[in-house]
């Protein structure tokens, strides 16, 4: 059976009564009146940061409100789980993690590449050189050698979303390496998602909305726009601007043939489907030219806009004014 990210229960959440459970994406409005889903509850905080962007992206790309009025209508009367299931089902073929057809966030074409241990999907893990030099003093090799499908899907999305510089031709995320994401928070998970969704008319000025093929939004649904010397850059005029939610700078193919049985090294669950390897290749999609991600703050310079990145050490008190106040005169 193919693991489908619309149909499977793979997202860890907390309900109001404190219960932690796994849900499918269309269950985000389940029991809104009695015991709503309040927040994400993945085994790692960076996974929560990616999963909320997965859900915002999914809702934005499948049920964009036409205008502010429709936005308000859904905020006051959220869609039922049946509505959401029907809506998300229209794109479920783009959300197979494994199987013979197109696979979520993985390259459309089969390719020869470098084989990596699955822990390299996690950005803090020591790379090949660190291990060769035996300098993995603080974050040790082999602490994560196998992952369940839920953790693997999240780690894969997390890497594509935040991709740091990773050697020659390994492209960074659409907002550069390790971008800053700012969200408006609601009282429950549905509100937090919907408060960050914008109305459809905004996308006209963000790129070419006439690019309507499924691969213009979900890039793994078609051949990768590779970026070797003879390759090309990808701007918001070349594809649909909603690809900003589904950027895929890295060419990755997860090995689903050699699965193991046992415990997931990230969440600890027991399963007979554990992933331990993937193959990757450089010169994936190179995002250039005027991308303006809806969930990131930008700084204006004379001739371009630059997305903000958090500094090592995090965001401190002295940053708060710049983060909350728009100052057009100083960019
Ligand atoms: Zn897991």
């Amino acid at each position: 059976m193919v693991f489908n990210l619309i149909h499977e229960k793979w997202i860890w959440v907390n309900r109001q009564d404190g219960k932690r459970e796994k849900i499918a994406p269309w269950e985000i409005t389940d029991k809104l009146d009695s015991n709503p889903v309040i927040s994400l509850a993945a085994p790692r905080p960076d996974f929560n940061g990616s999963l909320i962007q997965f859900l915002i992206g999914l809702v934005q790309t499948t049920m964009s409100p036409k205008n502010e009025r429709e936005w308000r209508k859904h905020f006051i009367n959220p869609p039922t789980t049946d509505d959401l299931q029907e809506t998300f089902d229209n794109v479920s073929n783009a959300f197979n993690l494994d199987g013979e057809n197109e696979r979520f966030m993985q390259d459309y074409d089969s390719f020869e590449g470098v084989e990596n241990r699955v822990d390299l999907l996690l950005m803090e893990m020591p790379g090949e050189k660190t291990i060769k030099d035996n300098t993995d003093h603080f974050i040790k090799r082999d602490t994560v050698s196998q992952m369940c499908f839920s953790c693997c899907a999240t780690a894969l999305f997390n890497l594509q979303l935040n991709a740091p510089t990773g050697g020659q031709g390994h492209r960074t995320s659409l907002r550069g390496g390790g971008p800053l994401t700012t969200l408006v928070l609601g009282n429950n998970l549905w509100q937090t998602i919907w408060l960050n969704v914008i109305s459809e008319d905004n996308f006209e000025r963000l790129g070419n909305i006439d690019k309507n093929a499924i691969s213009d939004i979900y890039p793994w649904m078609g051949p990768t726009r590779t970026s070797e010397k003879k390759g090309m850059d990808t701007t918001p005029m070349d594809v649909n601007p909603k690809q900003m939610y589904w950027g895929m700078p890295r060419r990755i193919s997860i090995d689903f043939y050699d699965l193991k049985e046992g415990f997931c090294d990230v969440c600890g669950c027991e399963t007979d489907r554990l992933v331990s390897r993937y193959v990757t290749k450089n010169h994936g999609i190179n995002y250039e030219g005027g991308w303006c991600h809806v969930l990131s703050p930008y700084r204006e310079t004379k001739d371009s806009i630059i997305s903000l990145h958090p500094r090592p050490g995090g965001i401190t008190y002295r940053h708060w004014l710049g983060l909350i106040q728009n100052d057009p005169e100083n960019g």
Side-chain angles (χ1 to χ4, degrees), residues 302-317:
K302 250 192 200 130
D303 39 27
S304 68
I305 55 167
I306 298 164
S307 62
L308 297 185
H309 291 244
R311 306 243 171 264
I315 295 167
T316 61
Y317 181 70

Side-chain angles (χ1 to χ4, degrees), residues 79-293:
T80 64
T81 51
D82 286 347
D83 296 338
L84 289 177
Q85 193 172 19
E86 204 184 316
T87 305
F88 295 165
D89 204 37
N90 294 326
V91 294
S92 62
N93 65 332
F95 287 87
N96 291 328
L97 182 65
D98 61 342
E100 296 306 313
N101 299 318
E102 296 89 350
R103 299 182 303 175
F104 176 72
M105 286 284 162
Q106 295 162 77
D107 218 77
Y108 182 82
D109 296 303
S110 56
F111 60 84
E112 302 263 309
V114 180
E115 196 177 285
N116 277 344
R117 296 160 305 128
V118 74
D119 63 339
L120 284 181
L121 290 176
L122 304 170
M123 277 161 289
E124 78 279 15
M125 280 299 165
E128 296 298 327
K129 185 170 182 309
T130 311
I131 288 175
K132 208 169 121 210
D133 298 348
N134 204 24
T135 53
D136 53 329
H137 303 305
F138 298 105
I139 297 170
K140 296 283 183 196
R141 73 192 82 173
D142 300 332
T143 47
V144 176
S145 59
Q146 45 196 20
M147 275 188 218
C148 71
F149 278 21
S150 166
C151 291
C152 182
T154 316
L156 172 63
F157 183 60
N158 194 28
L159 176 63
Q160 299 282 22
L161 199 60
N162 299 300
T165 43
Q168 200 200 3
H170 287 280
R171 303 300 177 201
T172 58
S173 96
L174 189 138
R175 292 170 275 177
L180 180 67
T181 301
T182 51
L183 300 174
V184 182
L185 301 181
N187 293 326
N188 57 51
L189 187 61
W190 166 256
Q191 280 190 3
T192 295
I193 293 165
W194 196 247
L195 282 167
N196 293 286
V197 163
I198 58 173
S199 61
E200 187 64 22
D201 40 12
N202 287 293
F203 285 96
E204 279 170 32
R205 55 187 177 82
L206 293 175
N208 187 352
I209 52 167
D210 294 329
K211 289 278 181 182
N212 272 325
I214 188 156
S215 60
D216 287 326
I217 295 177
Y218 309 108
W220 58 92
M221 297 301 283
T224 301
R225 296 170 54 87
T226 56
S227 57
E228 302 87 352
K229 262 203 181 124
K230 298 186 301 266
M232 51 196 146
D233 292 339
T234 297
T235 75
M237 298 311 284
D238 299 319
V239 295
N240 191 289
K242 283 182 193 154
Q243 192 171 130
M244 74 174 79
Y245 297 100
W246 308 107
M248 194 179 73
R250 300 293 180 85
R251 304 188 72 183
I252 288 175
S253 175
I254 291 175
D255 180 356
F256 289 107
Y257 293 102
D258 181 25
L259 297 177
K260 301 203 162 51
E261 208 179 316
F263 296 93
C264 169
D265 288 332
V266 178
C267 72
C269 77
E270 188 173 12
T271 168
D272 56 0
R273 290 192 290 180
L274 289 167
V275 171
S276 55
R277 276 188 312 226
Y278 71 96
V279 175
T280 187
K281 189 177 187 325
N282 55 4
H283 300 120
I285 303 178
N286 192 30
Y287 292 101
E288 289 283 352
W291 283 94
C292 187
H293 197 289

